[in-house]
Amino acid sequence: MSENSINISIVPQSERFSFLPSMFGNGTYLEGESTVYAYMSALCREYTGGYWNYAYLSNGGRVMLPEMEETTVTISVRLNGYQGQMTPNAAGIVCCLFALSGLSCKVFQTNPEAAELIAERYHQLRDFALEHAEREAILAAID
């Protein structure tokens, strides 16, 4: 890992309350959170709900990561025909990228400030995904 690599750190319990607004914006964080969960439910047959870790990226990005017993899960994306195995953390990255992309477009007209933040978070998370050990699977899933 180079010194310029993007690092990830789990959000401490004391900061969880402020995490979602910092990821999706004040007016859209509840929709952002539920959108991530909805993508995980739709794309991953092994996902049945549960606890999610929140994480900061050293480039300013944010990501939500599901806690799951499985070491690998199957992700199926009907829109692009992708089907493959990845870790739950990589699946969380995929779902967050889908949610951030869709939400930034959805809120652009009504809340351009939030849309700008969400778009920035998308690019920060995608930069992290480009360095991730499972980058090929992540990029294939979101393509």
Side-chain angles (χ1 to χ4, degrees):
M1 194 184 317
S2 78
E3 67 182 58
N4 294 329
S5 293
I6 300 169
N7 298 309
I8 186 169
S9 59
I10 299 298
V11 172
Q13 191 67 32
S14 62
E15 296 176 27
R16 284 181 65 86
F17 185 72
S18 63
F19 177 82
L20 290 171
S22 78
M23 182 170 179
F24 297 107
N26 281 329
T28 55
Y29 70 92
L30 292 176
E31 184 176 5
E33 177 188 34
S34 65
T35 301
V36 172
Y37 299 153
Y39 271 113
M40 191 68 170
S41 292
L43 302 179
C44 178
R45 65 178 162 223
E46 296 93 346
Y47 178 70
T48 59
Y51 186 82
W52 287 64
N53 285 303
Y54 299 156
Y56 296 125
L57 305 176
S58 62
N59 68 350
R62 310 282 191 269
V63 66
M64 298 168 57
L65 306 168
E67 271 195 14
M68 297 177 68
E69 290 183 20
E70 295 87 347
T71 55
T72 60
V73 296
T74 301
I75 296 294
S76 299
V77 183
R78 284 187 221 145
L79 290 174
N80 65 13
Y82 174 82
Q83 182 164 334
Q85 297 284 310
M86 61 182 68
T87 63
N89 279 357
I93 293 169
V94 167
C95 293
C96 287
L97 286 167
F98 273 130
L100 289 164
S101 176
L103 195 58
S104 71
C105 295
K106 183 177 180 181
V107 303
F108 180 74
Q109 292 295 322
T110 58
N111 192 343
E113 186 176 298
E116 186 175 320
L117 171 69
I118 293 165
E120 180 180 1
R121 294 292 184 245
Y122 174 88
H123 290 287
Q124 291 165 328
L125 181 54
R126 188 170 185 283
D127 288 346
F128 176 70
L130 291 172
E131 296 181 3
H132 196 276
E134 296 173 85
R135 70 185 154 273
E136 290 86 6
I138 293 168
L139 294 175
I142 65 167
D143 184 22

